[in-house]
Amino acid sequence: MSRFRLYPTADQVAVLESHCGHARYVWNLALEQQSWWHPRRGPAPGYAEQNRQLTDARREFGWLAAGSVIVQQQALRDFATALAGFFRGSHRKPSFRKRGRGEGFRNVAVKPGDFRRENRRWSRVRVPKVGWVRFRRTRPVPAATSFRVTRDRAGRWHVAFAVVPDPVAVSGAGGVVGVDRGVVVSAALSTGELLRCPGLRREEAARLFRLQRRLARAKRGSHRRGRLKARIARLRARESDRRKDWVEKTSTDLARRFEVIRVEDLKIRQMTRSARGTVDAPGTNVRAKAGLNRGILAGGWGLLVRRLEQKAPGRVERIPAAYTSRRCSSCGHVAAESRESQSRFVCVACGHESNADINAARNIAAGRAVTPQGGRALAVPVNREPQRTAPPSLAGV
Ligand SMILES: [Zn+2]
């Protein structure tokens, strides 16, 4: 993704905000329909049907009709994509969008004529109903057919051009690598490397904690509260920037170094692992860390796998990884007792000692799906076909 900072004028901000509001409204309606929908009511309407309902709703409500139809249709499409990701098991269930949190909208059918170069540093992009909005061209603008405009919690606007990254060629010894999503560390490789996604530094995390405590005491609607919120948002935005940067670098690095990249299959992992630890080794002292890392693990892991699949197409395999942390990567013995602690694995059969996440990554690299009895299944290739989903009806808009 190629993201640039947008600098809209005050008038443009008002229209951008209304686009965000419309996208949020349509998304939330689609979600509401979904939560009411039941298999016994017959097949749920697809995107085409929802789209027709949106047309009706626009005819009825002037404020909706005043907005951009592209923005509203894309919110429906984004929702259908999110739902498909949920049913596939690669993404969390879509949730209601709240005002001021992760706001944004998408524009499609973008043509080269929708860009204008102003000078060495500045360009403009045409946004429906908004007009030409300035952005700082910090690097070359990729040829994109769609873009997403977002406002982060610090109030900064960005435009992100949807570019599927080019595949990265293998340029090393190659081979197979297993990547395990750790609870304490961001990712463990079967090579023995522990990768840490940079979050907030210790002093920044402490500052965030203090700000949050002060916010809890600040009076609602006060200036002080607004200032605190903005400072918290800036820290959070910094954390998220670092995470995205890390994902880009790490995915390129892995795609370049290894021929086959095996990752845990999230769908199965989600059932056995919670933020507090694993079923195998329920977390005790990981709680505080888990809280801090939750965002990184949830957002970062999904993005990392997506980027890997784009940069190493056909070379990523998902391994059902439910019991990989109980299995000894050296002798194959499966025992819950071998997981001595959150970070330590000591095999009760052969005495093999290892970092627990690296032991799991080695099992993943071997392509072993371990059952509670210690049996194994074969690696499943990445399934890129979207499964049939049942998008909700928008009736009642
Ligand atoms: Zn062993």
Side-chain angles (χ1 to χ4, degrees):
M1 190 168 62
S2 194
R3 206 169 70 129
F4 300 86
R5 179 92 182 261
L6 265 186
Y7 291 85
T9 64
D11 287 349
Q12 289 176 333
V13 164
V15 187
L16 291 175
E17 276 173 351
S18 81
H19 283 345
C20 288
H22 292 154
R24 186 175 65 232
Y25 179 81
V26 170
W27 170 285
N28 285 347
L29 266 176
L31 181 59
E32 206 177 316
Q33 296 295 327
Q34 164 70 14
S35 57
W36 281 97
W37 183 76
H38 193 275
R40 265 179 301 188
R41 291 186 192 145
Y47 170 76
E49 167 64 13
Q50 283 183 307
N51 207 4
R52 200 190 51 73
Q53 290 168 5
L54 178 64
T55 307
D56 290 347
R58 280 172 61 87
R59 210 170 287 139
E60 201 168 330
F61 302 107
W63 61 270
L64 207 56
S68 155
V69 69
I70 297 177
V71 165
Q72 293 162 20
Q73 279 176 344
Q74 284 313 304
L76 282 180
R77 270 201 201 279
D78 286 351
F79 180 79
T81 307
L83 203 61
F86 169 65
F87 284 126
R88 201 169 51 234
S90 57
H91 291 75
R92 280 183 298 178
K93 197 173 174 183
S95 58
F96 281 103
R97 293 213 166 141
K98 293 196 189 94
R99 192 190 174 89
R101 299 191 71 167
E103 296 235 66
F105 61 88
R106 185 182 300 282
N107 184 35
V108 291
V110 176
K111 302 173 294 294
D114 293 328
F115 296 95
R116 213 155 67 186
R117 205 182 158 100
E118 219 159 61
N119 53 41
R120 242 160 28 99
R121 295 175 107 190
W122 295 90
S123 280
R124 285 179 188 264
V125 59
R126 185 151 52 186
V127 181
K129 308 238 171 200
V130 179
W132 294 96
V133 186
R134 282 199 332 149
F135 66 93
R136 262 204 74 186
R137 206 180 51 252
T138 41
R139 67 206 113 125
V141 179
T145 54
S146 82
F147 61 78
R148 190 171 165 75
V149 172
T150 53
R151 193 181 64 174
D152 65 20
R153 287 192 271 195
R156 302 178 301 184
W157 291 90
H158 288 95
V159 58
F161 301 105
V163 201
V164 175
D166 289 332
V168 177
V170 182
S171 74
V176 180
V177 71
V179 187
D180 179 52
R181 176 177 63 150
V183 171
V184 180
V185 75
S186 308
L189 306 188
S190 53
T191 55
E193 289 159 87
L194 293 169
L195 309 180
R196 260 168 232 282
C197 176
L200 292 178
R201 279 189 283 275
R202 190 183 289 273
E203 65 275 12
E204 289 168 330
R207 193 171 358 132
L208 179 64
F209 182 72
R210 277 198 307 275
L211 288 170
Q212 279 168 333
R213 248 190 356 204
R214 278 161 65 189
L215 182 71
R217 288 195 298 259
K219 207 188 278 172
R220 283 196 171 276
S222 64
H223 279 296
R224 188 176 127 80
R225 192 179 167 85
R227 273 201 311 275
L228 284 169
K229 270 188 157 171
R231 287 176 66 188
I232 288 171
R234 271 199 299 274
L235 274 173
R236 286 257 164 80
R238 190 180 300 172
E239 184 183 22
S240 141
D241 286 350
R242 283 181 195 157
R243 181 171 69 220
K244 284 175 185 155
D245 191 49
W246 179 81
V247 164
E248 292 305 335
K249 283 183 183 142
T250 305
S251 54
T252 300
D253 179 56
L254 291 174
R256 186 170 292 150
R257 282 169 62 198
F258 302 99
E259 268 154 34
V260 177
I261 302 154
R262 292 191 174 140
V263 297
E264 52 185 344
D265 191 331
L266 265 189
K267 192 175 185 174
I268 288 151
R269 193 56 160 222
Q270 265 170 354
M271 294 191 286
T272 57
R273 200 170 230 192
S274 74
R276 289 195 200 159
T278 62
V279 168
D280 310 4
T284 44
N285 58 353
V286 289
R287 219 172 158 190
K289 272 180 181 159
L292 237 155
N293 285 341
R294 203 179 299 137
I296 298 167
L297 294 172
W301 182 259
L303 183 61
L304 181 64
V305 173
R306 202 152 64 242
R307 281 289 176 270
L308 283 171
E309 285 172 354
Q310 289 165 339
K311 293 178 184 176
R315 297 195 277 127
V316 179
E317 289 173 357
R318 295 189 191 213
I319 311 297
Y323 292 89
T324 45
S325 55
R326 289 184 182 189
R327 181 187 181 276
C328 172
S329 59
S330 176
C331 76
H333 184 72
V334 176
E337 305 83 69
S338 295
R339 185 70 183 262
E340 202 172 64
S341 71
Q342 192 61 45
S343 60
R344 197 99 206 107
F345 184 95
V346 181
C347 179
V348 292
C350 76
H352 171 71
E353 278 184 50
S354 166
N355 171 290
D357 288 330
I358 288 171
N359 178 66
R362 288 194 174 130
N363 284 327
I364 292 168
R368 285 191 177 89
V370 187
T371 66
Q373 290 76 36
R376 52 173 291 193
L378 287 171
V380 281
V382 183
N383 176 15
R384 253 185 238 83
E385 278 301 300
Q387 282 168 20
R388 196 157 276 289
T389 58
S393 152
L394 266 185
V397 166

